[in-house]
């Protein structure tokens, strides 16, 4: 899994101007105290600190690693080195060199690139008359969106979708799925943020909420729910072939991946024959690494950009990623095959760089 994710990261990060890789440790944080998590982070950094640096390798958060864990690791790094070096990690708190919108970046970026695809596809032509008003200008307005996961990516993708007028109808965690037929309200989303980020509880605790239904042991993609757009934001291989068939049967016509490789190969092959828009993770979830690059730039220049500045730069990066994948697919006579476009664009950039540096002899 790690080697596969590493290869994926190398290709996907080419659009942001930095390199990529994957790594981690075997540790289940569920049920662990803050002290236990802190001790794990400190021991992990003791083995890692000699191999990282602002011009060497800059780790960032991922599954199970958020601002708390980054803070613990950075604190241990400073103790071990005897001096601060803010550029050594990204995803830091804004209290010590972090960037505005870093926690939101992957989720927001996912929605921004999906928005670009929806604009390009003019999807509103396929909506019922009563749902078309204003959709050409605001492509998420009135759309029914299924989201899996309930971590950073899922939370902030949902926040941005709702801000743009879409209806978010699901979240999930490792114990089940929470759904709302009419879409979660802003109050319910705030409750979910508090449950996951402060209480660190399970979604089942919200099962008695108004209009909410909890499905124990079920993933979003097993339930056969109807939707316009699916945003898988949980984990690798969460959408398998049966889940893809459920999405197609439920009227889904757009899938954009927020998690790393959340769809199995056979499910991808099936979806590409059934949905109008499929945006692979290497393009769709690049917002996080893009904002890590922006955090590194701020650390290097000793600057601190406002939320508005970071958001504008993030939108520009995601717009460019979509345009590059779309154009590359067109150039190879594969229109709207954004998976091929994103893969080809990434591999071509790596190939050209290797050749220019003399690593390739052909």
């Amino acid at each position: 899994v790690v080697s596969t994710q590493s290869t994926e990261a190398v290709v996907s990060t080419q659009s942001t101007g930095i390199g990529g890789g994957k790594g981690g440790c075997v540790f289940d944080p569920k049920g662990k105290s803050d002290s236990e998590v802190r001790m794990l982070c400190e021991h992990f950094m003791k083995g890692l600190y000699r191999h990282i640096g602002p011009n060497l390798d800059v780790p960032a958060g991922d599954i199970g690693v958020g601002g708390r864990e980054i803070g613990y690791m950075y604190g241990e790094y400073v103790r071990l080195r005897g001096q601060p070096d803010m550029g050594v990690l990204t995803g830091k708190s804004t209290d010590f060199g972090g960037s505005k919108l870093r926690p939101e970046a992957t989720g927001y970026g996912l929605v921004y690139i999906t928005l670009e695809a929806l604009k390009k596809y003019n999807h509103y032509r396929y909506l019922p008359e009563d749902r078309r008003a204003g959709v050409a200008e605001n492509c998420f307005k009135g759309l029914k969106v299924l989201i899996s996961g309930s971590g950073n990516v899922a939370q902030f993708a949902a926040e941005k979708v709702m801000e743009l007028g879409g209806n978010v109808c699901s979240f999930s965690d490792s114990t089940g799925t929470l759904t709302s037929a009419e879409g979660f309200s802003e109050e319910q989303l705030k409750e979910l943020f508090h449950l996951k980020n402060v209480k660190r509880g399970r979604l089942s605790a919200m099962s008695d909420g108004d209009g909410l239904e909890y499905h124990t042991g079920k993933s979003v993609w097993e339930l056969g729910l109807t939707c316009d757009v699916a945003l898988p934001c949980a984990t690798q291989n969460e959408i398998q072939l049966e889940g893809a068939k459920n999405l197609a049967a439920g009227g889904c016509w757009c899938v954009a991946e927020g998690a790393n490789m959340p769809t199995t190969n056979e499910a991808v092959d099936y979806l590409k024959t059934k949905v109008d828009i499929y945006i692979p993770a290497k393009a769709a979830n690049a917002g996080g690494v893009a904002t890590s690059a922006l955090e590194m730039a701020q650390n290097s220049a000793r600057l601190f950009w406002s939320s508005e500045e970071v958001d504008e730069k993030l939108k520009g990066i995601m717009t460019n990623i979509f345009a590059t994948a779309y154009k590359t697919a067109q150039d190879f006579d594969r229109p709207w095959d954004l998976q091929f476009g994103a893969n080809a664009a990434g591999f071509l950039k790596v190939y050209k760089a290797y050749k220019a540096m003399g690593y390739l002899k052909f």
Side-chain angles (χ1 to χ4, degrees):
V1 172
V2 174
S3 61
T4 302
Q5 292 276 15
S6 296
T7 303
E8 186 82 352
V10 169
V11 176
S12 67
T13 53
Q14 298 313 305
S15 57
T16 67
I18 60 175
K22 285 285 176 179
C25 64
V26 179
F27 177 75
D28 184 358
K30 296 185 181 69
K32 301 296 193 299
S33 68
D34 279 353
S35 293
E36 290 172 310
V37 172
R38 176 180 53 77
M39 285 189 287
L40 180 279
C41 292
E42 290 172 353
H43 281 290
F44 185 66
M45 183 53 74
K46 282 182 172 71
L48 184 66
Y49 82 99
R50 295 181 182 87
H51 309 288
I52 60 176
N55 296 309
L56 180 61
D57 198 352
V58 182
D62 207 312
I63 296 175
V65 180
R68 175 183 64 165
E69 292 75 20
I70 293 292
Y72 291 152
M73 286 192 283
Y74 181 67
E76 183 64 13
Y77 178 86
V78 172
R79 282 190 287 273
L80 291 166
R81 300 289 294 187
Q83 64 182 40
D85 193 345
M86 291 188 296
V88 74
L89 292 166
T90 65
K92 304 181 296 295
S93 165
T94 52
D95 294 328
F96 54 94
S99 174
K100 294 283 191 180
L101 295 190
R102 179 59 185 87
E104 295 91 336
T106 306
Y108 280 13
L110 171 64
V111 176
Y112 291 150
I113 196 169
T114 306
L115 191 62
E116 289 302 309
L118 297 183
K119 289 177 183 176
K120 193 77 173 179
Y121 196 75
N122 294 332
H123 75 285
Y124 57 89
R125 295 174 297 162
Y126 302 95
L127 299 179
E129 290 285 351
D130 62 345
R131 291 175 58 194
R132 289 187 187 181
V135 174
E137 292 74 32
N138 184 354
C139 292
F140 269 102
K141 183 180 178 182
L143 297 188
K144 187 172 183 180
V145 181
L146 295 181
I147 293 178
S148 64
S150 51
N152 265 5
V153 182
Q155 290 173 24
F156 291 112
E159 182 178 81
K160 185 58 67 173
V161 167
M162 291 168 65
E163 180 185 311
L164 294 172
N167 300 311
V168 174
C169 298
S170 68
F171 291 97
S172 66
D173 58 22
S174 59
T175 60
T177 295
L178 188 67
T179 61
S180 171
E182 300 302 318
F184 286 78
S185 66
E186 290 185 11
E187 291 72 23
Q188 288 169 334
L189 184 63
K190 288 178 183 177
E191 183 183 349
L192 185 144
F193 270 57
H194 184 75
L195 174 69
K196 286 295 180 180
N197 302 332
V198 180
K199 292 184 175 180
R200 303 189 186 277
R202 317 308 296 169
L203 290 177
S204 54
M206 292 180 62
S207 59
D208 58 352
D210 186 30
L212 302 183
E213 184 177 358
Y214 186 71
H215 309 267
T216 304
K218 296 286 187 180
S219 81
V220 176
W221 321 117
E222 294 178 274
L223 299 176
L225 303 173
T226 61
C227 70
D228 297 298
V229 177
L231 304 177
C233 299
T235 191
Q236 186 172 348
N237 294 334
E238 59 175 289
I239 301 181
Q240 301 192 14
L241 183 57
E242 283 305 309
K245 290 179 178 179
N246 287 338
L247 281 173
C252 178
W253 47 265
C254 175
V255 177
E257 298 179 334
N260 289 316
M261 301 174 68
T263 313
T264 64
N265 288 336
E266 60 179 357
V268 169
D269 291 341
Y270 179 83
L271 285 172
K272 287 171 68 174
T273 68
K274 297 295 183 180
V275 302
D276 298 322
I277 301 169
Y278 167 72
I279 312 176
K282 63 171 55 66
N285 76 359
V289 71
T291 307
S292 280
L294 296 178
E295 183 175 335
M296 292 164 65
Q298 292 172 80
N299 291 157
S300 295
R302 302 296 193 266
L303 296 174
F304 189 65
W305 296 328
S306 67
S307 296
E308 292 76 17
E309 288 176 296
V310 175
D311 196 36
E312 197 59 34
K313 293 177 190 295
L314 175 61
K315 285 179 185 176
I317 291 169
M318 300 311 296
T319 298
N320 182 62
I321 290 172
F322 171 77
T324 300
Y326 180 82
K327 183 180 184 302
T328 304
Q330 296 278 73
D331 290 345
F332 283 87
D333 199 25
R334 301 275 290 268
W336 278 103
D337 189 344
L338 298 177
Q339 182 190 35
F340 176 86
N343 280 333
F347 277 113
L348 281 171
K349 191 166 183 181
V350 173
Y351 166 76
K352 290 176 181 177
Y354 267 55
K355 192 166 181 63
M357 290 186 284
Y359 297 150
L360 301 178
K361 308 305 179 185
F362 54 88

